[in-house]
Amino acid sequence: MLSAWKACCAVVPQRVVFAVMGFFAIFNAYVMRVCLSIALTQMVIPTNETSINNGSLENTCPRIDDDDSGVEKLNSTGIYDWDKSVQGTILSSFYWGYILTHLPGGMLAERFGGKYTLGLGILSTAVTTLLTPLAVEWNGATALIVLRFLMGLGEGTTFPALNSMLAQWIPPEERSKLGSLVFAGAQLGTVFSTSVSGVIMHYTSIGWPAVFYVFGAVGVLWFIVWTLVCYNNPEEHPFISEHELKYLHDRMSAHTHKKPPSVPWRHIFISAPFWALVAAQIGHDWGFFTMVTDLPTYMNNVMKFSIKNNGYLSALPYLCMWVCSIITSWLADKMITSGFMSRTNVRKLGTTIASIGPGVFLVGASYAKCDRVVVVVLFTIGMTLMGTFYPGMKVNALDLSPNYSGTLMALVNGVGALTGIITPYIVRVLTPNQLLSEWRLVFWVVFAVFIVSNLIFVLYASGEVQYWNDPEFVRRDREDRRHKNDPERQEKQKKKEKAGKGST
């Protein structure tokens, strides 16, 4: 039986199977994370627009007259009287749990493998997604905040565990391409969630609860398939071909080790490329989380799109971002392998395009006022350019240290995830009346964060394996430090030196 399966599956590169399943892991994670941003617009009682219209006419947009009657029906179905402060707390509560499990998730994946560290995390997220309608009905906003916190705990292991497995499965020559494919699940998950959520709520009789039932069930299905077809590393895989196993061993054995020493924390924290990567992650997440969490709100409350069109138009920028990430990641690998550009400069170029481009076009969209076509075009171009983050800084942790890539991703992504707590609060403070001028300031803040974080990355980033990735260096360094901190051993060493001098 096993030999038959191996003969059947050997024709398919198992690193590609892993990359596809890793893509769907992040895809499902973002689907379940983001769907609340769309559903929330229909769960709450609509804001009274009289206060919004106190601003000048150029600060408001009229509602579209050609929305069908179903839209008005949907817009009146909100039953929860949650103000903007409560909504902001609900949206940010996910990230409180999310940041807590990053580091444990990365360290567990490096020690025991990422298969179940990742798989069980996604499964727990799926279960909490399925329970969301029941929790809200039981205890309203309080229950939803607690449930989103628990969802964040489960999903916090996703990126660290996947990064640890990428270090075992993806050779350097394919790192931009396959790594970007995996991480691009964030964009397509956002596309799918924002577009399909609107359709589900528009056409189903039960409304917003259906969103959580559908996406939670898909998450459970992914977990079943994942446990059947994916393994921690090539050596454990029963169906991998001998040719692929040898290829991966030859290409990765120099810098990727099965049981490296424990994490060299001191060297990581004094590493300039590490802090440059942290800065770039903060810039990326600040812009990305602002758009993921608040673009549906902007489209609904400011641009006055219907819920169905809101879903489609909120999804369009992420679809283009995904296409850009796939194309540019292929180009990035080509430039590196051909010698046209160093790996370090490729990472810096991708990150710079993904910082300056979105910043400029997001700010530009805020000056387009109520011209909906121009706003959508500018948002779409800006988010498209953000796709170069993936062959830029997103795979950089694998460059710096394949052995400790899970821990690096946990640290970097965990710090970046703090912006998921900060940005909803900042948007809430800066946009009390949902005016165009207020949102313009939000996008200027995003632009400033992009520029500063990118400057740090350009000055200090590296695409090369760092010295502290070498197990022998780590062991020697720790042995030397033990000698220095052991007085008895130092005294013996001095006596030995004296005896040597006396004998001469």
Side-chain angles (χ1 to χ4, degrees):
M1 181 68 175
L2 182 61
S3 59
W5 273 104
K6 188 166 185 175
C8 173
C9 298
V11 296
V12 181
Q14 292 304 309
R15 64 186 184 279
V16 176
V17 174
F18 160 72
V20 171
M21 289 302 298
F23 162 84
F24 279 112
I26 296 183
F27 176 92
N28 277 292
Y30 270 77
V31 162
M32 293 183 287
R33 180 194 307 190
V34 172
C35 65
L36 180 64
S37 296
I38 291 287
L40 203 60
T41 63
Q42 301 308 307
M43 295 167 67
V44 300
I45 298 172
T47 303
N48 188 342
E49 293 188 9
T50 57
S51 62
I52 296 177
N53 291 331
N54 288 335
S56 62
L57 289 176
E58 69 174 10
N59 268 332
T60 64
C61 293
R63 188 167 292 283
I64 299 176
D65 294 329
D66 60 356
D67 285 349
D68 55 41
S69 59
V71 173
E72 294 304 320
K73 185 177 180 181
L74 268 171
N75 283 336
S76 64
T77 56
I79 61 174
Y80 298 102
D81 188 13
W82 299 336
D83 60 23
K84 290 190 66 180
S85 176
V86 173
Q87 293 180 50
T89 302
I90 290 170
L91 291 172
S92 64
S93 59
F94 170 91
Y95 295 98
W96 286 107
Y98 186 65
I99 62 175
L100 291 179
T101 50
H102 262 67
L103 192 55
M107 296 178 72
L108 284 171
E110 287 172 353
R111 186 174 180 85
F112 302 108
K115 177 175 180 175
Y116 286 104
T117 306
L118 170 65
L120 293 175
I122 296 292
L123 178 63
S124 68
T125 307
V127 171
T128 51
T129 300
L130 288 168
L131 292 175
T132 297
L134 296 175
V136 173
E137 183 180 351
W138 169 58
N139 201 21
T142 301
L144 183 55
I145 289 169
V146 172
L147 203 63
R148 292 288 292 184
F149 174 80
L150 296 175
M151 183 183 293
L153 287 177
E155 203 167 303
T157 64
T158 302
F159 280 98
L162 261 180
N163 222 45
S164 179
M165 294 182 73
L166 281 167
Q168 299 291 331
W169 278 99
I170 308 301
E173 295 84 357
E174 301 174 5
R175 188 171 292 156
S176 298
K177 181 171 55 184
L178 293 182
S180 295
L181 169 64
V182 171
F183 294 132
Q187 295 109 59
L188 277 194
T190 304
V191 168
F192 189 83
S193 185
T194 51
S195 58
V196 175
S197 293
V199 172
I200 291 173
M201 289 188 289
H202 188 79
Y203 289 109
T204 58
S205 58
I206 65 172
W208 63 265
V211 171
F212 299 97
Y213 295 141
V214 171
F215 294 153
V218 172
V220 173
L221 178 62
W222 171 88
F223 173 75
I224 295 171
V225 178
W226 169 262
T227 56
L228 294 175
V229 303
C230 290
Y231 294 82
N232 288 318
N233 53 64
E235 286 74 16
E236 291 183 13
H237 204 299
F239 309 136
I240 192 171
S241 67
E242 295 297 330
H243 173 75
E244 184 179 13
L245 184 62
K246 183 178 185 303
Y247 168 74
L248 292 177
H249 179 269
D250 291 345
R251 296 304 307 133
M252 300 168 67
S253 58
H255 298 300
T256 304
H257 303 84
K258 290 291 175 285
K259 293 189 179 298
S262 59
V263 180
W265 297 107
R266 184 173 65 90
H267 293 286
I268 289 177
F269 287 135
I270 62 174
S271 171
F274 164 74
W275 288 110
L277 182 55
V278 169
Q281 185 73 49
I282 290 172
H284 170 263
D285 284 357
W286 193 288
F288 190 70
F289 288 155
T290 297
M291 298 303 290
V292 166
T293 304
D294 297 302
L295 183 58
T297 302
Y298 183 81
M299 292 297 199
N300 185 72
N301 294 346
V302 179
M303 302 308 296
K304 304 298 196 305
F305 283 109
S306 69
I307 181 60
K308 184 172 69 172
N309 290 334
N310 187 356
Y312 291 142
L313 296 174
S314 296
L316 179 61
Y318 303 104
L319 179 61
C320 295
M321 183 180 173
W322 171 72
V323 173
C324 177
S325 69
I326 296 301
I327 294 173
T328 55
S329 63
W330 179 81
L331 289 174
D333 276 340
K334 283 291 183 184
M335 287 191 291
I336 293 170
T337 55
S338 67
F340 179 77
M341 189 177 288
S342 69
R343 181 175 282 108
T344 296
N345 287 335
V346 166
R347 302 302 183 227
K348 290 180 178 181
L349 176 63
T351 304
T352 299
I353 294 172
S355 299
I356 296 176
V360 169
F361 283 99
L362 294 185
V363 170
S366 69
Y367 284 94
K369 298 183 180 178
C370 295
D371 190 329
R372 293 180 173 87
V373 173
V374 174
V375 168
V376 170
V377 169
L378 292 177
F379 273 143
T380 301
I381 295 174
M383 294 301 289
T384 298
L385 294 175
M386 194 182 280
T388 63
F389 258 124
Y390 289 81
M393 52 74 57
K394 201 66 179 178
V395 296
N396 192 223
L398 290 166
D399 297 327
L400 300 181
S401 179
N403 283 332
Y404 305 106
S405 58
T407 297
L408 281 188
M409 179 60 82
L411 293 169
V412 172
N413 214 56
V415 172
L418 289 172
T419 62
I421 299 170
I422 297 170
T423 54
Y425 174 77
I426 290 178
V427 170
R428 186 169 71 244
V429 170
L430 295 180
T431 61
N433 301 306
Q434 296 294 308
L435 299 177
L436 284 168
S437 59
E438 294 171 344
W439 278 91
R440 186 174 298 143
L441 181 57
V442 170
F443 296 134
W444 271 112
V445 171
V446 171
F447 178 76
V449 173
F450 270 144
I451 295 301
V452 172
S453 62
N454 181 68
L455 179 61
I456 296 171
F457 189 79
V458 168
L459 291 175
Y460 299 107
S462 173
E464 305 306 318
V465 177
Q466 298 300 291
Y467 66 90
W468 38 266
N469 179 73
D470 182 5
E472 289 304 315
F473 168 82
V474 176
R475 292 188 183 100
R476 286 197 306 270
D477 179 69
R478 286 177 179 165
E479 187 66 23
D480 290 344
R481 289 176 64 82
R482 277 197 294 269
H483 287 172
K484 290 178 181 178
N485 295 328
D486 187 344
E488 184 177 341
R489 182 169 291 185
Q490 288 180 2
E491 188 63 30
K492 288 182 179 179
Q493 184 66 26
K494 289 178 181 178
K495 290 180 179 180
K496 186 181 294 185
E497 292 174 357
K498 287 181 180 180
K501 289 180 182 178
S503 63
T504 57

